[in-house]
Amino acid sequence: MNDKVKDINKDDGKLVMAHMYVAFISLFIGGLMGVLQTMVRSGTFTLPFGIGYYQILTVHGVILALVLTTFFIVGFQFALMSKTVGMSDQQRESAWFGYWIMLFGTITTAITILVGKANVLYTFYAPLKAYPTFYIGLALVVIGSWIACFTNFRQLALWKKHHPGEKSPLLAYMVVINMLLWFIATLGLAATVLIQFIPWSLGMVDTINVLVSRTLFWYFGHPLVYFWLLPAYMAWYAIIPKIIGGKIFSDSLARLAFVLFLMFSIPVGFHHQLTEPGIDPLWKFIQVVLTFMVIIPSLLTAFSMFATFELAGRSKGYTSLFGWFKALPWKDVRFFAPMAGMITFIPAGTGGIINASHQMNQVIHNTIWVTGHFHLTVGTTVILTFFGISYWLIPSLTGRRLTKKVNTLGMIQTFVWMIGMFIMSGSMHIAGLLGAPRRSSYSEYGGSEQATEWIGYQISQAIGGSILFIGIILMVYIFFYMVFAAPKGYTEFPMAEVSENAEPTPKFLENWKLWIGITIALILFAYTVPFIDMLHHSPPGSPGFEDLIR
Amino acid sequence: MNKKQHHKDESTTNLKGTFIAVMILGIFILVSWFIVFGIFLSR
Amino acid sequence: MHLHKYERIWLIFGISSLVLFLVVLGVGAFYKGTQPPSHLATVDPTKVEEHEAFREENLGLRKVGENDYIVSVIASAFNYNFGKDDEGNTIRKIEIPVGSNVLFQATTTDVIHGFQLAGTNVNMMVEPGYINSLKTTFKKTGTYTLICNEYCGTGHHLMAFEVEVIDNE
Ligand SMILES: [Cu+2]
Ligand SMILES: [Cu+2]
């Protein structure tokens, strides 16, 4: 009835919003846990009611890295699919079904953590053993997300059937690539959780193969970070150009970048296991080389982004070398927040190259440098882009207006975030180079001089963390304001067009069989030999250790 | 014909600013990487 | 697919940088032997003290040559076992002369632990069923803290040891 005001089918809007509620409530809970951790680590604060540091650390990791991201991404991608290729009633039903399974899994895992039976952190490395419902809940989240995957695949397939010979819409193409990536990656997670962890935690088997479980986890763990990043890239490539009054620099380069991400973000998990025993260093190096391949699409993206900005500025008559920079809509939060994210990706990506550099990894492995690193990547680049998306997505779904007030608040939010993160992540990077460990409660390490040196940086982490928490309160307020209180009206769902100067998109970019084939071949190449080695030379398995985490 | 059209496009797409921007980015990556590599060697 | 002239130059520059990094790392790893710790030997985690390297008398610092040392350590929640001294007291600190070549080898009897000598390149994972090892030469004197940098349970942040690199006069 009111559909004209809204920019998206009303029922699809409801589905997307259901995901967004979970995402933003998770943001608040996870952020609160985060600021508490930085306080504890500053040495000035003790948690009340017998709550453990590692318990809130587990909540923080699970709810932000797994729940917030997955729900936001799945929801956002449904919005994009609904907008570009549409959604049938049947598809909407299956999407809801996946949503409820994910939510049920989330609650199951959350309760297990809250009662203190799963202080295993979000990586749940064996042989630390959580209560079975922790793993069962996680498995359900994954299974629910698979339903979303196949719903998206079906959406595009049906559209293609009705539009024979046409190239698929860019955003739909990108969503399908990201979901393919997610599906192939989560097969590893599902394998270790279903075959190893659940039977072991239920007592059906006595021991677990630790190295195999870690290898399967990191087979999933690296593409996970690209699953977070690609929706941000979708916005950068296909939405931001519209917001700045420009065009997409090149449709084919955008697609090519996504194809490269699909192929090279999976066979690289060893770069998280560089200092581990039991893996031949030759295979570690091979995966390091493959890791460096996945940098190339980001190099492409950097060029495409700057080019989009420059062309937009020049078309508005700014002719000087960097004049186009001024032409950008710096006061529009829909641009400013993602742009802040893009700028952050420069140090974030650079840190990533350093981390993956084979033996150099020994300098920073498991130090708080790594924590600083991914608070720049997922905690700034990705999340600020997600916030930037929310400023138009939420009001456009709820049939309200993005007001001047929200715009100003959003600008402040972005500044607050950048300042807080600069302080927190900066001190994490420095402390990490000095040797301070990640994932550790406050400790003076027996009065060690080195540890004393770290404490100063931990205090600045608490300052940065507190500023970030102010940013989170602001964002959660903005979210609920946009849902319930902003004036009714129309907000545009911005989608950019391809520049008329861009080359036509070659057909081979839609050769799904080819891309999936290469992806699988690369995975088999990178993992078959070392994995068989692992199984052949495996030591006796490990029993569970559940007493160490109480 | 197509080819000719194309060349004309290239000369009108002035991307000098983009080029300088990405090169600065590239140099930032190189410098940062070698700083940490220096730390690795010195330890 | 056609690329803008500048984009081609940028990609060549970027990819060459990546190749340069890989060559530097590859030469270090395969020619100079600075591979990351990747020891392949396995051990039964319930019987580590039966293994030659981790027998009571072999734990801690051992001099094996003019300038060569081996340090053998059993990690367990939440402690590093460096063995006992001549009087039977638990060793709480070791001293290594500067410039000596040291091989660290470690394993665990329970969960995964970290093994990081803060401020050095000695940084490796210790996992049940495996012995991990790492060679290093200490270039600077000083007191270094050995810390566990992989979460291993409630007392994780208390797991530490002291290593002093001393002048060798
Ligand atoms: Cu990674
Ligand atoms: Cu530990």
Side-chain angles (χ1 to χ4, degrees):
Chain A
M1 22 144 226
N2 217 359
D3 266 9
K4 273 204 196 96
V5 188
K6 293 183 185 173
D7 212 19
I8 194 170
N9 173 305
K10 196 166 144 244
D11 294 326
D12 297 352
K14 268 191 198 148
L15 171 74
V16 177
M17 281 308 295
H19 289 84
M20 293 300 154
Y21 287 122
V22 180
F24 281 89
I25 292 167
S26 299
L27 174 69
F28 182 75
I29 299 169
L32 180 63
M33 299 300 130
V35 70
L36 290 176
Q37 281 162 61
T38 62
M39 307 281 255
V40 171
R41 266 201 103 155
S42 71
T44 56
F45 175 78
T46 328
L47 289 167
F49 316 121
I51 301 168
Y53 176 83
Y54 299 107
Q55 188 176 9
I56 60 170
L57 181 53
T58 306
V59 176
H60 179 77
V62 169
I63 211 157
L64 292 182
L66 300 177
V67 179
L68 159 70
T69 49
T70 309
F71 275 86
F72 187 94
I73 291 166
V74 169
F76 173 51
Q77 292 184 155
F78 274 130
L80 295 177
M81 292 302 273
S82 159
K83 194 76 181 149
T84 52
V85 294
M87 194 175 214
S88 70
D89 292 344
Q90 207 189 359
Q91 289 157 359
R92 201 174 307 108
E93 262 168 47
S94 80
W96 274 111
F97 184 55
Y99 170 82
W100 288 115
I101 291 182
M102 290 210 304
L103 189 61
F104 182 69
T106 301
I107 293 168
T108 309
T109 297
I111 291 172
T112 320
I113 301 171
L114 290 179
V115 298
K117 296 218 173 236
N119 302 336
V120 290
L121 311 192
Y122 96 97
T123 44
F124 57 90
Y125 291 145
L128 287 172
K129 191 163 88 175
Y131 196 70
T133 47
F134 174 83
Y135 308 110
I136 293 169
L138 284 183
L140 288 172
V141 174
V142 170
I143 291 165
S145 74
W146 285 351
I147 298 173
C149 287
F150 283 94
T151 308
N152 289 151
F153 299 159
R154 177 91 189 124
Q155 282 175 283
L156 183 61
L158 218 62
W159 184 91
K160 292 213 72 137
K161 215 168 116 192
H162 294 143
H163 301 78
E166 281 180 49
K167 73 170 180 194
S168 51
L170 178 59
L171 280 164
Y173 179 91
M174 291 169 154
V175 169
V176 168
I177 292 252
N178 199 29
M179 284 314 229
L180 265 174
L181 172 86
W182 176 250
F183 179 70
I184 298 172
T186 45
L187 286 174
L189 182 66
T192 184
V193 168
L194 296 176
I195 300 170
Q196 294 191 284
F197 279 95
I198 292 178
W200 173 68
S201 67
L202 287 170
M204 290 154 65
V205 293
D206 296 330
T207 62
I208 189 165
N209 186 325
V210 171
L211 189 58
V212 165
S213 74
R214 288 175 62 83
T215 302
L216 287 170
F217 182 87
W218 284 115
Y219 162 90
F220 151 81
H222 188 78
L224 169 68
V225 310
Y226 279 93
F227 173 71
W228 300 332
L229 188 63
L230 291 194
Y233 274 33
M234 293 173 200
W236 298 359
Y237 270 113
I239 285 165
I240 299 285
K242 172 81 174 182
I243 293 171
I244 65 169
K247 298 266 172 72
I248 297 171
F249 173 61
S250 162
D251 177 273
S252 36
L253 282 177
R255 287 176 204 245
L256 176 69
F258 270 64
V259 165
L260 291 173
F261 280 125
L262 171 67
M263 297 194 301
F264 290 108
S265 67
I266 308 173
V268 297
F270 281 174
H271 72 230
H272 293 258
Q273 301 178 277
L274 287 169
T275 68
E276 285 190 42
I279 304 170
D280 191 301
L282 173 66
W283 285 102
K284 290 180 180 174
F285 191 76
I286 288 170
Q287 293 209 7
V288 166
V289 174
L290 289 168
T291 306
F292 277 48
M293 299 289 288
V294 82
I295 300 162
I296 295 169
S298 282
L299 297 178
L300 270 171
T301 305
F303 192 93
S304 294
M305 289 308 116
F306 282 119
T308 306
F309 299 154
E310 181 163 10
L311 291 179
R314 290 193 186 279
S315 73
K316 288 179 193 159
Y318 290 82
T319 47
S320 68
L321 187 56
F322 284 112
W324 48 274
F325 207 69
K326 276 182 254 145
L328 294 168
W330 293 102
K331 288 184 178 147
D332 183 343
V333 71
R334 298 173 307 159
F335 166 75
F336 183 64
M339 183 63 180
M342 283 184 218
I343 291 167
T344 307
F345 202 53
I346 296 170
T350 307
I353 301 176
I354 291 167
N355 298 346
S357 289
H358 206 55
Q359 67 272 40
M360 239 165 92
N361 181 259
Q362 284 163 245
V363 177
I364 51 82
H365 179 72
N366 269 354
T367 68
I368 201 155
W369 157 291
V370 178
T371 317
H373 163 69
F374 63 71
H375 279 82
L376 291 185
T377 53
V378 66
T380 306
T381 300
V382 169
I383 207 73
L384 279 183
T385 304
F386 287 1
F387 292 167
I389 291 165
S390 306
Y391 296 120
W392 53 263
L393 180 65
I394 307 296
S396 116
L397 293 176
T398 53
R400 293 175 190 271
R401 280 191 302 115
L402 165 58
T403 56
K404 256 206 116 59
K405 176 190 156 181
V406 171
N407 192 74
T408 310
L409 273 180
M411 296 291 292
I412 296 170
Q413 202 284 336
T414 311
F415 276 116
V416 168
W417 199 270
M418 292 297 279
I419 294 165
M421 197 53 86
F422 181 79
I423 298 172
M424 188 180 85
S425 175
S427 41
M428 283 175 166
H429 276 89
I430 300 170
L433 286 178
L434 297 172
R438 66 187 282 204
R439 316 179 119 179
S440 300
S441 188
Y442 178 73
S443 174
E444 288 164 9
Y445 291 103
S448 134
E449 209 175 295
Q450 285 179 307
T452 318
E453 206 182 357
W454 304 335
I455 290 168
Y457 292 99
Q458 281 155 209
I459 291 169
S460 37
Q461 284 157 32
I463 295 168
S466 307
I467 297 172
L468 283 166
F469 189 60
I470 295 171
I472 283 178
I473 294 172
L474 252 174
M475 192 62 219
V476 173
Y477 169 76
I478 293 170
F479 172 77
F480 282 107
Y481 179 82
M482 288 189 300
V483 176
F484 295 112
K488 294 226 183 251
Y490 172 80
T491 298
E492 180 201 17
F493 191 124
M495 284 200 297
E497 287 162 32
V498 178
S499 157
E500 52 287 331
N501 287 338
E503 292 243 325
T505 308
K507 272 255 180 326
F508 70 86
L509 281 168
E510 289 226 41
N511 193 339
W512 295 102
K513 281 190 193 121
L514 176 68
W515 304 133
I516 297 170
I518 296 177
T519 304
I520 293 171
L522 282 167
I523 293 168
L524 292 176
F525 164 65
Y527 273 109
T528 308
V529 175
F531 200 74
I532 289 175
D533 268 356
M534 244 172 245
L535 294 173
H536 261 253
H537 303 287
S538 52
S542 285
F545 291 85
E546 58 251 74
D547 297 334
L548 296 180
I549 56 169
R550 302 250 164 81
Chain B
M1 166 68 209
N2 208 337
K3 188 117 199 204
K4 218 175 188 177
Q5 172 79 31
H6 195 81
H7 273 263
K8 188 174 155 270
D9 286 340
E10 177 128 325
S11 58
T12 53
T13 29
N14 181 347
L15 291 176
K16 270 213 182 79
T18 298
F19 183 65
I20 294 170
V22 288
M23 288 310 280
I24 292 171
L25 160 67
I27 288 161
F28 176 80
I29 294 174
L30 275 166
V31 169
S32 311
W33 193 88
F34 276 104
I35 288 174
V36 181
F37 187 68
I39 294 175
F40 175 77
L41 287 184
S42 74
R43 284 182 169 178
Chain C
M1 225 173 305
H2 176 84
L3 291 176
H4 189 280
K5 183 176 79 196
Y6 289 155
E7 181 154 30
R8 239 176 299 139
I9 301 173
W10 159 240
L11 278 180
I12 291 167
F13 175 80
I15 293 171
S16 311
S17 305
L18 297 179
V19 171
L20 173 68
F21 295 160
L22 287 172
V23 168
V24 171
L25 296 170
V27 168
F30 294 96
Y31 180 67
K32 302 223 162 167
T34 58
Q35 292 280 14
S38 310
H39 202 55
L40 299 172
T42 58
V43 61
D44 184 338
T46 57
K47 299 187 183 115
V48 295
E49 56 293 330
E50 285 175 20
H51 190 284
E52 165 79 33
F54 301 102
R55 277 209 300 258
E56 181 76 50
E57 65 272 21
N58 287 340
L59 289 179
L61 180 72
R62 251 187 310 150
K63 189 164 181 169
V64 291
E66 180 71 39
N67 208 18
D68 302 312
Y69 294 83
I70 294 181
V71 177
S72 307
V73 184
I74 300 175
S76 66
F78 304 101
N79 169 52
Y80 291 111
N81 184 357
F82 277 71
K84 298 209 161 83
D85 63 17
D86 297 337
E87 281 121 57
N89 300 318
T90 307
I91 295 177
R92 307 208 173 275
K93 178 181 173 182
I94 57 168
E95 292 182 349
I96 304 174
V98 71
S100 48
N101 306 312
V102 187
L103 173 80
F104 288 94
Q105 51 184 11
T107 191
T108 161
T109 56
D110 45 41
V111 294
I112 299 173
H113 297 282
F115 191 100
Q116 182 196 1
L117 210 46
T120 74
N121 290 335
V122 178
N123 189 352
M124 62 182 174
M125 302 292 292
V126 182
E127 298 180 11
Y130 293 91
I131 298 167
N132 209 355
S133 74
L134 195 159
K135 264 197 197 119
T136 194
T137 305
F138 287 105
K139 294 177 188 152
K140 280 175 237 147
T141 57
T143 310
Y144 296 92
T145 314
L146 173 67
I147 49 170
C148 176
N149 65 8
E150 184 56 88
Y151 172 63
C152 56
T154 40
H156 161 59
H157 52 287
L158 303 172
M159 191 164 164
F161 192 85
E162 201 178 312
V163 175
E164 182 137 13
V165 178
I166 52 167
D167 264 329
N168 46 345
E169 65 276 41

